[in-house]
Amino acid sequence: AFMEVNAKTANTTALAYIGDAVYEVYIRKYVLGDAPAGVNRMNRRVIRYVCADGQAKIAKELVKGFLSEDEIKLLKRGRNNTKTPKPRGSSPVDYKMATGFEALIGYLHLNGNVKRLEEIIRESIEIIEREGNL
């Protein structure tokens, strides 16, 4: 069962919490289907897509015309609501941008908007693939 979540009032930290998990499952399925390999090798591939630097890169590209105005507003609200004194392995700016991206994924998932969620994830994969190694 899906929940109706209001984009303007939803707790973006909670959206990012669920969005992180949803996004990682999609990426793991992609990596598994792309070229089944040992778990360690697959995990190394997954990291490119799910690390804060990768998600920040995705978010910065998506706002350049792929996302709707409302989606951008939610992403930015998630980004701005992030309090991170010491993110591990990335800059505070990238960590905040990644959290905004995860909030958007969480929002789409909780509202059951699978079609748009999968469009954004497909585009995200293409962004990382085009970039090669981060």
CSV table of all heavy atoms in Angstrom, one decimal, residues 107-129:
chain,number,residue,atom,x,y,z
A,107,TYR,N,9.9,10.3,-2.2
A,107,TYR,CA,8.6,10.9,-2.4
A,107,TYR,C,7.9,10.2,-3.6
A,107,TYR,O,6.7,9.8,-3.4
A,107,TYR,CB,8.8,12.4,-2.8
A,107,TYR,CG,7.5,13.0,-3.3
A,107,TYR,CD1,6.5,13.4,-2.4
A,107,TYR,CD2,7.3,13.2,-4.7
A,107,TYR,CE1,5.3,14.0,-2.9
A,107,TYR,CE2,6.1,13.8,-5.1
A,107,TYR,CZ,5.1,14.1,-4.2
A,107,TYR,OH,3.9,14.7,-4.7
A,108,LEU,N,8.5,10.0,-4.7
A,108,LEU,CA,7.9,9.3,-5.8
A,108,LEU,C,7.5,7.8,-5.4
A,108,LEU,O,6.4,7.4,-5.8
A,108,LEU,CB,8.8,9.3,-7.0
A,108,LEU,CG,9.1,10.6,-7.6
A,108,LEU,CD1,10.2,10.5,-8.6
A,108,LEU,CD2,7.8,11.2,-8.2
A,109,HIS,N,8.4,7.2,-4.7
A,109,HIS,CA,8.1,5.8,-4.2
A,109,HIS,C,6.9,5.8,-3.3
A,109,HIS,O,6.0,5.0,-3.5
A,109,HIS,CB,9.3,5.2,-3.5
A,109,HIS,CG,9.0,3.9,-2.9
A,109,HIS,ND1,8.9,2.7,-3.6
A,109,HIS,CD2,8.8,3.6,-1.6
A,109,HIS,CE1,8.6,1.7,-2.8
A,109,HIS,NE2,8.6,2.2,-1.5
A,110,LEU,N,6.9,6.6,-2.3
A,110,LEU,CA,5.8,6.6,-1.3
A,110,LEU,C,4.4,6.9,-1.9
A,110,LEU,O,3.4,6.4,-1.5
A,110,LEU,CB,6.1,7.5,-0.1
A,110,LEU,CG,7.2,7.0,0.8
A,110,LEU,CD1,7.4,8.1,1.9
A,110,LEU,CD2,6.8,5.7,1.5
A,111,ASN,N,4.4,7.8,-3.0
A,111,ASN,CA,3.2,8.1,-3.7
A,111,ASN,C,2.8,7.1,-4.8
A,111,ASN,O,1.8,7.3,-5.4
A,111,ASN,CB,3.3,9.5,-4.2
A,111,ASN,CG,3.0,10.6,-3.2
A,111,ASN,OD1,1.9,10.6,-2.6
A,111,ASN,ND2,4.0,11.4,-2.9
A,112,GLY,N,3.7,6.1,-4.9
A,112,GLY,CA,3.3,5.1,-5.9
A,112,GLY,C,3.5,5.5,-7.4
A,112,GLY,O,2.9,4.9,-8.3
A,113,ASN,N,4.3,6.6,-7.6
A,113,ASN,CA,4.5,7.1,-9.0
A,113,ASN,C,5.7,6.3,-9.6
A,113,ASN,O,6.8,6.8,-9.8
A,113,ASN,CB,4.8,8.6,-8.9
A,113,ASN,CG,4.7,9.2,-10.3
A,113,ASN,OD1,4.8,8.5,-11.3
A,113,ASN,ND2,4.6,10.5,-10.4
A,114,VAL,N,5.5,5.0,-9.8
A,114,VAL,CA,6.5,4.1,-10.3
A,114,VAL,C,7.1,4.5,-11.7
A,114,VAL,O,8.3,4.5,-11.9
A,114,VAL,CB,6.0,2.6,-10.3
A,114,VAL,CG1,7.1,1.7,-10.9
A,114,VAL,CG2,5.6,2.2,-8.9
A,115,LYS,N,6.2,5.0,-12.5
A,115,LYS,CA,6.6,5.3,-13.9
A,115,LYS,C,7.6,6.5,-13.8
A,115,LYS,O,8.7,6.4,-14.5
A,115,LYS,CB,5.4,5.8,-14.7
A,115,LYS,CG,5.7,6.1,-16.2
A,115,LYS,CD,4.4,6.4,-16.9
A,115,LYS,CE,4.6,6.7,-18.4
A,115,LYS,NZ,5.2,8.0,-18.7
A,116,ARG,N,7.3,7.5,-13.1
A,116,ARG,CA,8.3,8.6,-13.0
A,116,ARG,C,9.5,8.3,-12.3
A,116,ARG,O,10.6,8.6,-12.6
A,116,ARG,CB,7.6,9.9,-12.4
A,116,ARG,CG,8.4,11.1,-12.4
A,116,ARG,CD,8.9,11.5,-13.8
A,116,ARG,NE,9.6,12.7,-13.7
A,116,ARG,CZ,10.5,13.1,-14.7
A,116,ARG,NH1,10.6,12.4,-15.8
A,116,ARG,NH2,11.1,14.2,-14.6
A,117,LEU,N,9.3,7.5,-11.2
A,117,LEU,CA,10.5,7.0,-10.4
A,117,LEU,C,11.5,6.3,-11.3
A,117,LEU,O,12.7,6.5,-11.3
A,117,LEU,CB,10.0,6.1,-9.3
A,117,LEU,CG,11.1,5.3,-8.5
A,117,LEU,CD1,11.9,6.3,-7.7
A,117,LEU,CD2,10.4,4.3,-7.6
A,118,GLU,N,10.9,5.4,-12.2
A,118,GLU,CA,11.8,4.6,-13.0
A,118,GLU,C,12.4,5.4,-14.2
A,118,GLU,O,13.5,5.1,-14.6
A,118,GLU,CB,11.1,3.3,-13.5
A,118,GLU,CG,10.8,2.4,-12.4
A,118,GLU,CD,10.1,1.1,-12.8
A,118,GLU,OE1,9.6,1.0,-14.0
A,118,GLU,OE2,10.0,0.2,-12.0
A,119,GLU,N,11.7,6.4,-14.6
A,119,GLU,CA,12.3,7.3,-15.6
A,119,GLU,C,13.5,8.0,-15.1
A,119,GLU,O,14.5,8.1,-15.7
A,119,GLU,CB,11.2,8.4,-16.1
A,119,GLU,CG,10.1,7.9,-17.0
A,119,GLU,CD,9.0,8.9,-17.2
A,119,GLU,OE1,9.1,10.0,-16.6
A,119,GLU,OE2,8.1,8.6,-18.0
A,120,ILE,N,13.3,8.5,-13.8
A,120,ILE,CA,14.4,9.3,-13.2
A,120,ILE,C,15.6,8.3,-12.9
A,120,ILE,O,16.8,8.7,-13.1
A,120,ILE,CB,13.9,10.0,-11.9
A,120,ILE,CG1,13.0,11.1,-12.3
A,120,ILE,CG2,15.1,10.4,-11.0
A,120,ILE,CD1,12.3,11.8,-11.2
A,121,ILE,N,15.3,7.1,-12.5
A,121,ILE,CA,16.4,6.2,-12.2
A,121,ILE,C,17.1,5.8,-13.5
A,121,ILE,O,18.4,5.7,-13.5
A,121,ILE,CB,15.9,4.9,-11.4
A,121,ILE,CG1,15.5,5.4,-10.0
A,121,ILE,CG2,16.9,3.8,-11.4
A,121,ILE,CD1,14.9,4.4,-9.1
A,122,ARG,N,16.4,5.5,-14.5
A,122,ARG,CA,17.0,5.2,-15.8
A,122,ARG,C,17.9,6.4,-16.3
A,122,ARG,O,19.1,6.2,-16.7
A,122,ARG,CB,16.0,5.0,-16.9
A,122,ARG,CG,15.6,3.5,-17.0
A,122,ARG,CD,14.8,3.2,-18.3
A,122,ARG,NE,13.6,3.9,-18.5
A,122,ARG,CZ,12.4,3.6,-17.9
A,122,ARG,NH1,12.4,2.5,-17.1
A,122,ARG,NH2,11.4,4.3,-18.0
A,123,GLU,N,17.5,7.6,-16.1
A,123,GLU,CA,18.3,8.8,-16.5
A,123,GLU,C,19.5,8.9,-15.6
A,123,GLU,O,20.6,9.2,-16.1
A,123,GLU,CB,17.4,10.1,-16.4
A,123,GLU,CG,18.1,11.3,-16.9
A,123,GLU,CD,18.5,11.3,-18.4
A,123,GLU,OE1,18.0,10.5,-19.2
A,123,GLU,OE2,19.3,12.2,-18.7
A,124,SER,N,19.3,8.6,-14.3
A,124,SER,CA,20.4,8.6,-13.4
A,124,SER,C,21.5,7.6,-13.8
A,124,SER,O,22.7,7.9,-13.7
A,124,SER,CB,19.9,8.2,-12.0
A,124,SER,OG,18.9,9.2,-11.6
A,125,ILE,N,21.1,6.4,-14.2
A,125,ILE,CA,22.1,5.4,-14.6
A,125,ILE,C,22.8,5.9,-15.8
A,125,ILE,O,24.1,5.8,-15.9
A,125,ILE,CB,21.4,4.1,-14.9
A,125,ILE,CG1,20.9,3.4,-13.6
A,125,ILE,CG2,22.3,3.1,-15.7
A,125,ILE,CD1,19.9,2.3,-13.7
A,126,GLU,N,22.1,6.5,-16.8
A,126,GLU,CA,22.7,7.0,-18.0
A,126,GLU,C,23.7,8.1,-17.6
A,126,GLU,O,24.8,8.2,-18.3
A,126,GLU,CB,21.7,7.6,-19.0
A,126,GLU,CG,20.9,6.4,-19.6
A,126,GLU,CD,19.9,6.9,-20.7
A,126,GLU,OE1,20.1,8.1,-21.2
A,126,GLU,OE2,19.0,6.2,-20.9
A,127,ILE,N,23.4,9.0,-16.7
A,127,ILE,CA,24.3,10.1,-16.3
A,127,ILE,C,25.6,9.5,-15.8
A,127,ILE,O,26.7,9.9,-16.2
A,127,ILE,CB,23.7,11.0,-15.2
A,127,ILE,CG1,22.6,11.8,-15.9
A,127,ILE,CG2,24.7,11.9,-14.6
A,127,ILE,CD1,21.6,12.5,-14.9
A,128,ILE,N,25.5,8.5,-14.9
A,128,ILE,CA,26.7,7.9,-14.3
A,128,ILE,C,27.5,7.1,-15.4
A,128,ILE,O,28.7,7.2,-15.5
A,128,ILE,CB,26.4,7.0,-13.1
A,128,ILE,CG1,25.8,7.8,-12.0
A,128,ILE,CG2,27.6,6.2,-12.7
A,128,ILE,CD1,26.7,8.8,-11.4
A,129,GLU,N,26.8,6.4,-16.3
A,129,GLU,CA,27.5,5.7,-17.4
A,129,GLU,C,28.2,6.6,-18.3
A,129,GLU,O,29.3,6.3,-18.7
A,129,GLU,CB,26.4,4.9,-18.2
A,129,GLU,CG,25.8,3.7,-17.4
A,129,GLU,CD,26.8,2.6,-17.0
A,129,GLU,OE1,27.7,2.4,-17.8
A,129,GLU,OE2,26.6,2.1,-15.9
